[in-house]
Amino acid sequence: MIKITFPDNSVKEFEAGISGLGIARSLSNSLAKEVLSITVNNEIWDISRPINEDSNIKLHTWDDAEGKYAFWHSSAHLMAEALEALYPGVKFGIGPAIEMGFYYDVDLGNGMVLSDKDLPKIEQKMLELARNKSEYQRTDVTKEEAISFFKEKNEEYKLELINDLEDGTISFYKQGNFTDLCRGPHLPNTSYIKAIKLNSIAGAYWRGDEKRPQLTRVYGITFPKKKFLDEYVIMMEEAKKRDHRKLGKEMELFTFSQNVGQGMPLWLPKGAQLRESLETFLKRVQKKFGYEQVITPHIGNINLYKTSGHYEKYGEDSFQAIQTPQEGEEYLLKPMNCPHHCEIYKFKPRSYKDLPVRYAEFGTVYRYEQSGELHGLTRVRSFTQDDAHLFCTPDQLKDEFKKVIDIIFIIFKALNFTDYTAQISLRDKVNREKYIGSDENWDKAEQAIIEAAEEKGLNTVVEYGEAAFYGPKLDFMIKDAIGRKWQLGTIQVDYNLPERFELEYVGSDNQKHRPIMIHRAPFGSMERFIAVLLEHTGGKFPLWLTPEQVVIMPISEKYNDYAEKVLNSLNNSDIRAVLDDRNEKIGRKIRDSELKKTPYLIIVGEKEATEGTVSVRRQGEGDLGSQSIQEFTDFINKEVEDQLSSIEQY
C-alpha cells in the first residue's frame, strides 16, 4: 500500500500502481469524467500513469491551467498525426501547449507551404482521428533507441532535440499511427477532444535562430465541449475589436517605423499624454508611500551587469556591446534598472535608522527579442518599467511588502481591474540547490509573503518551485473584460543583489548587515500595461486618464472664433480639449470622435455663440443638453476630482 496526500493534507492509502484516474474514481464518478491530469510530487503526469510510492498529489480538470495544459499538449500531437496523414514526409520540430491552445512547427519539404485555406481540411482530419479514441501511450526509451527511430524517419529536428537529452530521461508518446518524442503529460485518449479550431499559420525559425531553417507554425485550440468553442469564437471576435494595435492606430496613440527599427514604439502626442497621466498618477501615489524618484542612464559598463548576473541571464537577448574609444571598455544598453539602483544605495554609508530606502524610476530598458516574437506593445525591444527597489531590514520586510500590495490595489481600482488572483511562488520542496541564500532567510521571506497576502485578504494560489533563484515572489494575474488572463504587477524578494553588490547598513548592534531588496513593478512595463489597458477597456478610459477629454466642433467656420474661445477657456482650466475645425459635416465629425473614444463632444453654432453656452454630448450616451462654459468646466473638473478622490481613499 502507498500513502497519497491530497492538497487539504488528508491522507488515503491505495494499492501501489494506482493511477490518477483510479484515485479520481475512488472519490467520485463525476470527478473521474472531468479529471485531465495530475500533479505528483510537483510534477505533472498523465492521469493513466501508475503511482508506485508515497506521493503528494493534486487532480486537475478543465478549470485548472494544468488540466488545459495536458488537453492542449495532447491536441498538438493529434494535429501532428493529422498533418502526417495528409502530408506524408512532413518533419516535425516542437509542438507545445501555450497559454491559449497549442502550436506545432513543421517542415513540409519540397517547397510546399500551408495557407489558411488548408486549415478546415486539417481540422476535419483531426476530428476524424479524435473519434477513434486512440490511447496516448507512454514508453520510456534509451537514447540509442530514440536516435534509431527518428533516423529511420529522417527527422533531423527531432534528432537534434534528442542530442540535448540525457539517457534515462527520454520518453515517446504514441497515439494511432503517430509517435513523438515527448515527456508528457497527455490525456488518456483522443476522444476527450470534441471541438477544434485552427487559428492561424506563421513562420518560425528553428529554435528561434534566424540563421536556421524557417518552419511553418500552425496555431490551434481545442475544447472538451462544443459550447466552449462557441464561447471562444465570440470572445475572439470581441478581441479583434479590442486589439490594442487596431485601437492604437485609430486613437492615434503610437506607431512603429521600420526606419527606426522593429520593436521600437514611437509614442504619438495622445499616447505620450496617456503615458504621462499614468506616470503622474503613480508618482503621486508613490510619494504618499515614501518613495523617492531617481534617474539612471540608458547604458552601463558591461561589468555592472556581470556583477548583477544580468549579463549571464540576458546577454544573448541584449543588443551588441557598445565599444568605446578606450581599449577594452564596453557598455551595454541596460536590460534592467536594478543594478543602477544598487549603486545609488551604495553612494553613502547607511544606518538601520535610514531604512527602508525606496527608489522609484520610470526607466527604459532594452532587450533584443527575436523578430518573430515581437507583437505590438506586448513584446517590444525597448520598454519602460515602472521600477522601484526597496532596501529594508528583515523586521521591515512584511510591512513593506504589504504597502506594495496596497499600491497595486490602488492601481487596479483606478483602472477597474476587479478579477484577479495572486500567485505566491515559493522554493521547490525538494530541490534546494538552485537557490542562493540561507534557509533561515528564505523561511523568513516566504513566511512574510504568505502572511502579507493573507492579511491583505488576497485570493491566492501557491506554486512550489516557481520562486526566482534569489527569492520568493508574488505575481498578480488579472482577467480582462472578456475573460483573458494577463500577468500584471509583481513583487519579488531578493537576497542576491545585496550580496553581489556588497550592500550594507549598520544595525542597532553597531555591526554591518545586508539589507533585503524588494523589486516591484505594478504596471510591469508601460508598453505592455497600456496594451492590456486598451484591450480591457476597448479604448474607453476613465475621464481622468483619457488623452483628449473634450473635442469642440463648430457647426461651420463662422463659429470657429467662438470655438477657439471655448477651447482656451477649457485648456486654462486644465481640461484636455481639442478643436475639430475641419470643413466636414457635423455628423462626420461626431462619428470620427466616437471612433477615437473622446468622452465629451461639444457642438457650437449660432445659438451657443449668442448665449455663451455649449451643447454637450457624452460618448456612447448622446445629447446632455446645453450648459454655460463655466458650468461645463465645473462639471468636467468635478468628475475628474470624484474619480481620483474615490481611488485615493482606498
Side-chain angles (χ1 to χ4, degrees):
M1 300 293 286
I2 58 172
K3 293 181 179 179
I4 298 297
T5 304
F6 292 86
D8 63 358
N9 290 322
S10 63
V11 179
K12 290 189 176 183
E13 289 192 345
F14 295 92
E15 293 283 346
I18 192 168
S19 67
L21 187 58
I23 293 172
R25 286 196 184 107
S26 75
L27 299 175
S28 79
N29 288 329
S30 60
L31 176 61
K33 292 177 182 178
E34 294 180 0
V35 67
L36 300 175
S37 65
I38 180 174
T39 294
V40 179
N41 297 329
N42 298 318
E43 183 180 351
I44 305 177
W45 283 17
D46 313 320
I47 55 171
S48 55
R49 189 170 168 182
I51 305 171
N52 293 308
E53 60 185 15
D54 294 350
S55 300
N56 292 281
I57 69 125
K58 184 178 180 181
L59 298 166
H60 306 297
T61 68
W62 179 256
D63 293 332
D64 302 310
E66 297 90 344
K68 290 185 176 74
Y69 177 84
F71 197 94
W72 287 331
H73 195 179
S74 303
S75 301
H77 281 228
L78 181 66
M79 183 175 71
E81 184 182 5
L83 287 168
E84 194 169 62
L86 293 170
Y87 306 97
V90 61
K91 299 175 183 179
F92 296 97
I94 60 171
I98 54 178
E99 186 175 2
M100 286 293 287
F102 57 90
Y103 69 78
Y104 220 121
D105 290 341
V106 300
D107 183 350
L108 296 175
N110 300 320
M112 190 182 300
V113 295
L114 290 176
S115 67
D116 290 343
K117 71 178 188 302
D118 297 310
L119 297 182
K121 176 175 65 175
I122 301 169
E123 287 176 5
Q124 284 303 118
K125 189 63 176 178
M126 290 176 68
L127 285 169
E128 175 190 323
L129 294 170
R131 296 187 191 105
N132 290 338
K133 203 175 181 179
S134 300
E135 292 184 8
Y136 287 94
Q137 300 172 333
R138 175 190 172 94
T139 307
D140 292 318
V141 296
T142 66
K143 192 166 186 174
E144 183 180 353
E145 289 171 332
I147 290 172
S148 175
F149 178 85
F150 283 108
K151 266 189 177 179
E152 187 174 338
K153 291 190 69 178
N154 197 27
E155 289 263 24
E156 65 262 31
Y157 304 111
K158 295 296 182 183
L159 288 169
E160 185 175 330
L161 294 173
I162 292 168
N163 284 334
D164 296 337
L165 301 177
E166 293 183 11
D167 208 351
T169 66
I170 302 172
S171 57
F172 283 178
Y173 274 85
K174 180 180 186 297
Q175 93 276 355
N177 294 318
F178 181 72
T179 300
D180 205 354
L181 171 73
C182 184
R183 66 165 59 100
H186 288 289
L187 302 170
N189 64 69
T190 58
S191 69
Y192 283 62
I193 302 168
K194 305 290 188 184
I196 299 167
K197 176 66 176 174
L198 299 186
N199 292 318
S200 62
I201 294 172
Y205 291 105
W206 173 233
R207 309 197 90 167
D209 187 343
E210 295 179 5
K211 297 177 182 178
R212 307 293 299 278
Q214 188 176 58
L215 307 182
T216 300
R217 177 169 292 179
V218 186
Y219 286 96
I221 192 167
T222 54
F223 299 92
K225 295 180 181 179
K226 174 66 164 56
K227 73 170 187 175
F228 292 167
L229 173 58
D230 295 338
E231 292 168 356
Y232 169 78
V233 170
I234 293 171
M235 184 190 78
M236 293 307 294
E237 287 301 315
E238 183 62 26
K240 287 180 183 178
K241 299 176 189 175
R242 293 169 177 261
D243 189 318
H244 75 276
R245 296 167 298 177
K246 172 177 175 288
L247 292 175
K249 183 177 181 180
E250 292 173 352
M251 298 173 69
E252 298 180 2
L253 299 177
F254 60 88
T255 189
F256 291 88
S257 165
Q258 289 295 329
N259 291 331
V260 174
Q262 293 186 67
M264 303 285 189
L266 299 172
W267 291 92
L268 305 176
K270 295 173 189 176
Q273 176 61 62
L274 175 63
R275 280 185 55 145
E276 183 179 337
S277 296
L278 284 169
E279 288 183 14
T280 300
F281 170 69
L282 184 53
K283 284 178 181 177
R284 186 167 63 223
V285 172
Q286 287 177 161
K287 189 173 182 180
K288 292 183 178 180
F289 281 81
Y291 286 75
E292 298 174 292
Q293 291 294 134
V294 297
I295 299 174
T296 62
H298 289 247
I299 66 174
N301 191 291
I302 196 170
N303 292 320
L304 176 72
Y305 308 113
K306 287 182 177 178
T307 298
S308 68
H310 289 103
Y311 182 74
E312 181 181 355
K313 182 174 177 62
Y314 294 112
E316 292 183 0
D317 296 324
S318 295
F319 287 85
Q320 289 295 309
I322 302 166
Q323 307 291 331
T324 74
Q326 179 75 34
E327 185 177 350
E329 185 177 55
E330 291 183 314
Y331 282 75
L332 283 183
L333 289 167
K334 66 176 175 181
M336 294 291 275
N337 298 301
C338 3
H340 297 251
H341 292 189
C342 288
E343 291 296 326
I344 292 177
Y345 177 91
K346 282 180 70 174
F347 99 99
K348 68 177 183 180
R350 306 283 181 173
S351 161
Y352 72 97
K353 295 179 181 179
D354 301 322
L355 272 55
V357 172
R358 309 178 187 95
Y359 292 139
E361 176 183 17
F362 287 89
T364 302
V365 298
Y366 304 87
R367 305 206 191 129
Y368 192 80
E369 304 287 356
Q370 295 293 330
S371 59
E373 301 295 327
L374 299 175
H375 182 80
L377 293 180
T378 59
R379 196 73 178 267
V380 289
R381 289 173 173 169
S382 167
F383 54 96
T384 302
Q385 295 179 309
D386 61 320
D387 247 341
H389 297 96
L390 294 75
F391 303 89
C392 63
T393 68
D395 291 341
Q396 296 168 335
L397 177 60
K398 186 170 78 170
D399 283 343
E400 288 302 305
F401 206 92
K402 287 166 65 177
K403 289 174 184 176
V404 177
I405 294 174
D406 286 337
I407 291 175
I408 291 175
F409 281 172
I410 291 170
I411 290 169
F412 283 3
K413 180 181 179 185
L415 300 169
N416 198 32
F417 290 116
T418 57
D419 189 351
Y420 54 86
T421 58
Q423 177 178 304
I424 301 173
S425 299
L426 305 178
R427 288 171 295 175
D428 191 290
K429 288 183 175 180
V430 179
N431 181 12
R432 301 294 175 91
E433 294 180 1
K434 57 183 177 179
Y435 307 105
I436 67 167
S438 69
D439 285 340
E440 180 184 3
N441 284 340
W442 269 92
D443 291 341
K444 287 180 181 178
E446 291 181 338
Q447 192 60 32
I449 291 178
I450 293 169
E451 290 178 3
E454 184 177 339
E455 290 171 19
K456 301 307 295 185
L458 291 175
N459 176 25
T460 61
V461 294
V462 176
E463 294 291 345
Y464 290 96
E466 292 299 315
F469 71 94
Y470 51 76
K473 60 180 180 173
L474 188 71
D475 292 321
F476 287 82
M477 314 293 182
I478 66 102
K479 273 190 180 180
D480 68 12
I482 59 174
R484 296 170 301 178
K485 286 185 179 180
W486 305 84
Q487 192 264 311
L488 288 181
T490 185
I491 319 173
Q492 303 175 357
V493 178
D494 184 358
Y495 288 92
N496 176 47
L497 287 189
E499 188 71 35
R500 283 176 175 255
F501 282 94
E502 299 181 348
L503 305 185
E504 296 177 340
Y505 68 91
V506 176
S508 57
D509 58 0
N510 247 1
Q511 300 298 309
K512 291 182 178 179
H513 301 272
R514 292 264 187 262
I516 300 172
M517 190 173 177
I518 299 176
H519 304 244
R520 53 109 276 203
F523 292 152
S525 83
M526 299 301 293
E527 287 72 14
R528 187 171 183 276
F529 187 84
I530 287 173
V532 174
L533 185 61
L534 271 168
E535 301 203 6
H536 177 59
T537 63
K540 296 180 181 179
F541 301 124
L543 187 62
W544 67 267
L545 180 59
T546 193
E548 290 181 353
Q549 297 169 319
V550 180
V551 60
I552 304 161
M553 302 176 181
I555 289 177
S556 74
E557 63 182 15
K558 291 192 297 183
Y559 308 106
N560 283 356
D561 289 345
Y562 180 65
E564 288 277 3
K565 177 184 174 182
V566 175
L567 175 68
N568 291 334
S569 177
L570 295 178
N571 285 339
N572 288 337
S573 298
D574 293 327
I575 294 172
R576 295 188 290 275
V578 295
L579 175 61
D580 185 352
D581 57 1
R582 293 175 299 158
N583 187 23
E584 295 279 0
K585 291 183 178 180
I586 196 69
R588 171 65 183 273
K589 292 183 180 182
I590 291 173
R591 285 194 299 274
D592 289 349
S593 180
E594 292 273 346
L595 191 64
K596 293 179 180 179
K597 310 293 192 294
T598 309
Y600 285 98
L601 288 64
I602 285 179
I603 300 171
V604 295
E606 182 178 2
K607 179 176 182 292
E608 288 78 20
T610 301
E611 298 177 356
T613 60
V614 292
S615 178
V616 182
R617 292 175 62 90
R618 171 78 183 186
Q619 204 266 345
E621 296 179 13
D623 188 11
L624 298 184
S626 181
Q627 299 179 21
S628 72
I629 297 174
Q630 188 58 53
E631 285 174 336
F632 181 71
T633 299
D634 294 342
F635 173 76
I636 293 294
N637 283 333
K638 185 176 186 305
E639 183 174 338
V640 170
E641 182 183 342
D642 288 348
Q643 287 179 355
L644 290 175
S645 62
S646 68
I647 294 163
E648 293 177 0
Q649 285 172 5
Y650 172 81

